[in-house]
Every structure is written in structure tokens, then in C-alpha cells.
Amino acid sequence: MKLTDTAQLADLHARIDAACQRLEINGAQGLPDPAEWAILPRHDDDRALFEELCFHMFAAGFSRDVVRQKWPATRSAFADFDIAELAAWDGARLTPLLTDRALIRNRRKIESVVHNAGVVQALAAEHGSFKAWLGSYPAGQLHLLHKEIARRFASVGPSAGEWFLLTAGFAYYFRTDHAQRLLQRLGLLPARVRPEDFNAVMEAVHQAGGASRWAVSAQMFRFASGFHLREGICQESPRCPKCPLWDYCDHFNQAPAAD
């Protein structure tokens, strides 16, 4: 299979999508749309983007539902995430928050809100706004933005940064070992994969088939992992005879045996 063959790429995703629908467990919920994981419905300004970033920072390693329940109190405690105000806070302003049972009482994350407000303020001073800095990375380089977010912002690891980009509406691909393994078996990725390689393949599939970027990411993950399916097809031990992609596959390049 070649990355330049748009007809094959469109057919590839159509087969994966059909297989996921056929194998879906009755009543099971698929992967949620990223918008369902956001704390805000819109991200029109720096304050909203900063709040979304902080939400995913707090949610990392915790129950997302618990963090969501505590979020009205969290928003109030942190001055509605007013960036200029938070950037000026000192340690004395944070001390009462560390014992407030209405909040997630994690010292490192609480202190990181203030630190990160300063980071956003500095980026806005240099680029005009935090939103402008985020938007300065084109779709094909969002893996670099993801890396920069993790480097610049305290307590924002790869998972939190990834969910921030997804929920804030950026064309970021949900990268998993499962999807990467599938694409390697199809000959679309090399053995040693760079983030830009993965993004390029996913973008090509998105452009060829017209499915949303999230749908492309989610269905490849489900197909390869078996998430909420009766069985996974392209798991670590693949079920090649049942795979609808066998004729595209470098891993199994002969017709499957009949069931």
C-alpha cells in the first residue's frame, strides 16, 4: 500500500470502520468525541484555553469525573482563571487551597496553575496571544506543539497535552501503540517511527476518506486493540484470517484461509 494512493487509503478506512461497526458489542459506547471531554464548549480566548489546559492538567492521574465535579469550586478558587491575576499570586495565596476539600488538593498541580499562568502571559507578550502561539503551528507540525507544551508548562505531561489539543479543537491525531502497529503492518510506517511520520499517514487517510481526524484515530485504535469490540483484529497476536485488510497487508500478504 502506498501513501499516495488516495483510493486505497479511503478504502482502508472504510473497511476498518465497517469492521468496527460489525464487531461492536451491543450497548457498548465507542470512544467519546473529544468535545465530550472538554470542560468548556468554546475556546475563543486565552482565558478559555488556559482553563482547558488546567482542567486536563488536574485530570491527569485522577478520575476525570471527580475533577469535573470539583471544577466549579476550582474555577472560583483560581479567580476564574484570570491569567494576569494568577501570574501575580505568591505562595501565601495558595496555602488555603492546599487544605480546601472542595478542590483537588495536589500541591504540585496547584502551584503549577500559577507558574503556567506566567508562561501563558509570556507567550502572549511575545506572540500577541496564547491562542496565536498555539495557532502558529500548522496541522502537520502539531506533534512539535505537543512537545513544546510538555516542555514549557509545569505538570502538563504527554497525556494532558494531548487531551488539551484534542478538546481545544486542534487537528491532532490520537497516537497509540495499537494504531502504530497496524500502520507498520500495512507498510505505511517504518520500524522506527517519528511523530511526524505517524501524523503524515493519519492526515493522508483523513484527506482521502473525508472522515474526521478523530474518527480516523479512534477507529484505527479500536480495530487494532479490540476496545469495546467482540474481538480485536490487528492485536499483538493478529487474527489475520479474519482481517478485512489482508490484501493490503505486508505482514500477511496472502489470502486468508477460510474460517
Side-chain angles (χ1 to χ4, degrees):
M1 172 172 274
K2 295 182 179 179
L3 199 57
T4 54
D5 193 325
T6 56
Q8 284 190 347
L9 292 177
D11 182 54
L12 170 73
H13 184 260
R15 293 190 197 185
I16 290 173
D17 187 60
C20 288
Q21 292 186 41
R22 185 179 70 254
L23 294 169
E24 194 163 67
I25 298 171
N26 290 338
Q29 294 182 342
L31 287 174
D33 186 279
E36 298 175 30
W37 290 56
I39 197 62
L40 295 172
R42 298 178 62 90
H43 306 89
D44 296 327
D45 56 24
D46 285 2
R47 193 213 63 78
L49 286 164
F50 179 57
E51 180 174 348
E52 193 69 49
L53 179 69
C54 289
F55 172 73
H56 295 290
M57 179 193 73
F58 274 106
F62 288 84
S63 164
R64 191 172 293 270
D65 289 339
V66 170
V67 176
R68 190 177 291 275
Q69 290 167 9
K70 290 178 177 285
W71 203 250
T74 303
R75 182 183 290 126
S76 177
F78 286 105
D80 289 336
F81 292 96
D82 183 291
I83 296 164
E85 181 174 342
L86 288 172
W89 279 17
D90 57 18
R93 293 294 302 270
L94 298 179
T95 300
L97 306 186
L98 299 173
T99 56
D100 189 339
R101 296 179 66 86
L103 308 178
I104 299 295
R105 291 169 293 164
N106 181 293
R107 176 183 291 274
R108 181 173 56 85
K109 295 193 178 192
I110 287 173
E111 291 175 346
S112 293
V113 172
V114 173
H115 171 83
N116 291 342
V119 174
V120 169
Q121 198 173 52
L123 287 169
E126 182 178 353
H127 297 273
S129 68
F130 179 41
K131 186 174 184 178
W133 176 71
L134 292 168
S136 68
Y137 287 80
Q141 295 182 9
L142 289 182
H143 60 285
L144 300 178
L145 174 58
H146 180 236
K147 185 181 294 185
E148 274 299 293
I149 288 171
R151 185 180 73 84
R152 290 173 182 265
F153 290 94
S155 302
V156 179
S159 177
E162 189 168 70
W163 278 110
F164 166 67
L165 289 173
L166 286 166
T167 55
F170 290 88
Y172 187 80
Y173 289 100
F174 186 62
R175 183 182 177 190
T176 65
D177 291 342
H178 302 286
Q180 182 171 298
R181 179 180 64 240
L182 169 63
L183 295 174
Q184 286 173 322
R185 287 173 174 169
L186 290 168
L188 292 171
L189 283 178
R192 298 186 65 178
V193 182
R194 301 172 301 170
E196 54 265 39
D197 297 330
F198 181 85
N199 285 4
V201 174
M202 300 294 272
E203 182 66 14
V205 175
H206 158 69
Q207 294 291 343
S212 72
R213 291 178 172 89
W214 174 248
V216 171
S217 296
Q219 293 299 61
M220 284 198 183
F221 165 68
R222 297 182 74 203
F223 181 83
S225 69
F227 181 83
H228 283 180
L229 302 178
R230 292 193 298 276
E231 61 179 341
I233 299 297
C234 198
Q235 295 175 309
E236 193 166 343
S237 297
R239 293 168 171 80
C240 295
K242 296 185 177 182
C243 183
L245 309 179
W246 65 268
D247 51 333
Y248 288 144
C249 187
D250 287 355
H251 181 76
F252 184 78
N253 57 6
Q254 61 183 7
D259 285 343

